């Protein structure tokens, strides 16, 4: 007799960002695992969901209405939506962090004990511990308008909006883990390397083919959406019941290679342009 170590059968879960890419792959696999999957996004999902709700993470009213529309209690929350830097910086930081945080906070009273939250961050945010001054300053802003205006006013010192938003996700995840432990709720995030989705072209447009190509060096290719969805599913599963506050690199060893000096980013970029 096989034991279901993931434990999604009969559980009620919500996937924000189920329209395409990693979010779609995540929702599809959760349905296969027997979960009751409710999706949210700005466009309908191709997955056969229990329900779909249109939600715009730029709009707090839309977020609150979306949570109310889905209703009920849940066992897992998957936060997968995000914008690249081809959008205005204030939109990027709003969707990727401010809106996602508000969405999660609206769900917190409805998340059952023993449940879990998993959010997609990025390798772009892996230097978050070195930037806590600027990250903490931005994270202190909870009002959407104030946060957007802050980024407009501080864009030069805040730096790339995508990077800042992911640094905030990493920091928020680790801080909130301590608070949520008292309710027996876990929260983690993943830090993917570039994923082979349509958004990859946006990153190439901003950073250039050589830089993005260098991030594929460790494995020799970009990851698939499914290869990023499965770690999210693992983190929110029964199998990860003692894991919380983790920022998990899902990058085929890239960040470890860079940290230990086995890989050199400048060398990889040079090789990619040769």
């Amino acid at each position: 007799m096989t034991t279901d170590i993931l434990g999604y059968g009969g559980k009620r879960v919500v996937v924000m960002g189920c329209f395409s890419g990693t979010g779609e792959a995540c929702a599809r696999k959760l349905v296969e695992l027997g979960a009751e999957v409710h999706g949210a996004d700005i466009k309908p999902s191709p997955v056969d969901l229990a329900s779909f709700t249109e939600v715009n993470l730029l709009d707090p009213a839309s977020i609150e209405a979306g949570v109310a529309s889905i209703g009920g209690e849940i066992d897992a929350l998957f936060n997968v939506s995000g914008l690249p830097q081809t959008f205005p910086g204030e939109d990027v930081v709003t969707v990727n962090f401010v809106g996602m945080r508000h969405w999660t906070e609206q769900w917190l009273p409805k998340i059952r004990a023993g449940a879990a939250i998993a959010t997609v961050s990025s390798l772009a945010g892996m230097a978050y511990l070195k930037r806590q001054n600027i990250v903490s300053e931005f994270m202190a802003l909870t009002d959407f308008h104030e946060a957007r205006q802050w980024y407009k006013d501080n864009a030069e010192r805040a730096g790339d909006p995508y990077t800042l938003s992911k640094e905030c996700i990493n920091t928020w995840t680790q801080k909130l883990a301590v608070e949520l432990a008292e309710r027996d709720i876990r929260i983690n995030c993943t830090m993917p390397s570039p994923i082979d989705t349509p958004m990859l072209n946006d990153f190439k447009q901003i950073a250039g083919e050589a830089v993005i190509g260098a991030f594929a060096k460790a494995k020799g290719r970009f990851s698939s959406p499914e290869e990023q969805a499965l770690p999210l599913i693992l983190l929110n599963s029964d199998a990860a019941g003692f894991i919380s506050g983790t920022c998990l690199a899902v990058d085929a060893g890239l960040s470890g290679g860079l940290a230990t000096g086995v890989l050199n980013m400048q060398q990889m970029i040079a090789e990619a342009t040769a």
Side-chain angles (χ1 to χ4, degrees), residues 84-86 124 160 162-163 194 199-215 265 269 273:
Q85 304 96 314
T86 47
D160 174 62
Y162 187 84
T163 297
M199 193 183 292
L200 186 62
N201 291 325
D202 294 275
F203 293 127
K204 288 179 178 178
Q205 181 179 331
I206 296 298
E209 291 268 359
V211 173
I212 297 301
F215 278 92
M265 181 58 74
I269 294 173
T273 56

Side-chain angles (χ1 to χ4, degrees), residues 212-226:
I212 297 301
F215 278 92
K217 180 70 174 178
K219 187 73 171 179
R221 63 172 176 83
F222 299 116
S223 74
S224 68
E226 291 77 13

Side-chain angles (χ1 to χ4, degrees), residues 7-273:
Y8 281 103
K11 286 190 176 179
R12 193 166 189 263
V13 307
V14 174
V15 180
M16 165 55 76
C18 58
F19 165 64
S20 64
T22 300
E24 178 194 341
C26 184
R28 194 176 300 280
K29 179 56 69 174
L30 287 165
V31 171
E32 293 176 7
L33 290 170
E36 177 188 321
V37 185
H38 298 265
D41 209 323
I42 57 172
K43 296 180 181 179
S45 174
V47 181
D48 184 18
L49 302 167
S51 76
F52 172 79
T53 304
E54 184 177 332
V55 174
N56 184 353
L57 289 174
L58 288 170
D59 180 3
S62 176
I63 292 170
E64 292 158 14
V67 173
S69 177
I70 297 171
E73 295 185 330
I74 61 173
D75 300 292
L77 181 63
F78 295 84
N79 296 327
V80 193
S81 291
L83 290 180
Q85 304 96 314
T86 47
F87 288 81
E90 60 270 25
D91 286 353
V92 174
V93 295
T94 301
V95 167
N96 293 6
F97 175 65
V98 180
M100 195 68 80
R101 176 179 60 180
H102 189 63
W103 163 259
T104 302
E105 288 173 345
Q106 299 307 299
W107 277 113
L108 285 179
K110 304 172 182 291
I111 296 180
R112 298 183 177 115
I117 303 163
T119 306
V120 175
S121 180
S122 171
L123 284 187
M126 63 183 174
Y128 66 107
L129 293 176
K130 297 179 180 178
R131 296 231 308 156
Q132 282 301 296
N133 286 344
I134 197 78
V135 167
S136 297
E137 183 179 339
F138 181 64
M139 286 181 64
L141 304 171
T142 57
D143 179 83
F144 275 58
H145 174 75
E146 290 181 4
R148 290 170 64 82
Q149 189 60 50
W150 181 94
Y151 186 78
K152 288 182 179 180
D153 294 341
N154 295 276
E156 185 173 347
R157 71 187 185 95
D160 174 62
Y162 187 84
T163 297
L164 175 64
S165 69
K166 299 306 185 177
E167 290 169 338
C168 288
I169 288 291
N170 291 349
T171 303
W172 171 69
T173 295
Q174 294 194 320
K175 287 188 172 183
L176 192 55
V178 178
E179 176 184 334
L180 293 182
E182 298 177 359
R183 292 182 52 198
D184 190 24
I185 297 171
R186 300 180 298 105
I187 182 169
N188 295 286
C189 67
T190 59
M191 297 190 297
S193 56
I195 311 167
D196 191 7
T197 68
M199 193 183 292
L200 186 62
N201 291 325
D202 294 275
F203 293 127
K204 288 179 178 178
Q205 181 179 331
I206 296 298
E209 291 268 359
V211 173
I212 297 301
F215 278 92
K217 180 70 174 178
K219 187 73 171 179
R221 63 172 176 83
F222 299 116
S223 74
S224 68
E226 291 77 13
E227 288 170 321
Q228 295 296 333
L230 291 173
L232 289 167
I233 291 171
L234 173 62
L235 286 173
N236 271 359
S237 75
D238 292 350
F242 210 69
I243 300 175
S244 194
T246 293
C247 303
L248 177 66
V250 186
D251 63 355
L254 174 64
S255 57
L258 293 172
T260 58
V262 176
L263 296 175
N264 181 284
M265 181 58 74
Q266 295 306 315
Q267 181 181 345
M268 291 190 295
I269 294 173
E271 290 174 354
T273 56

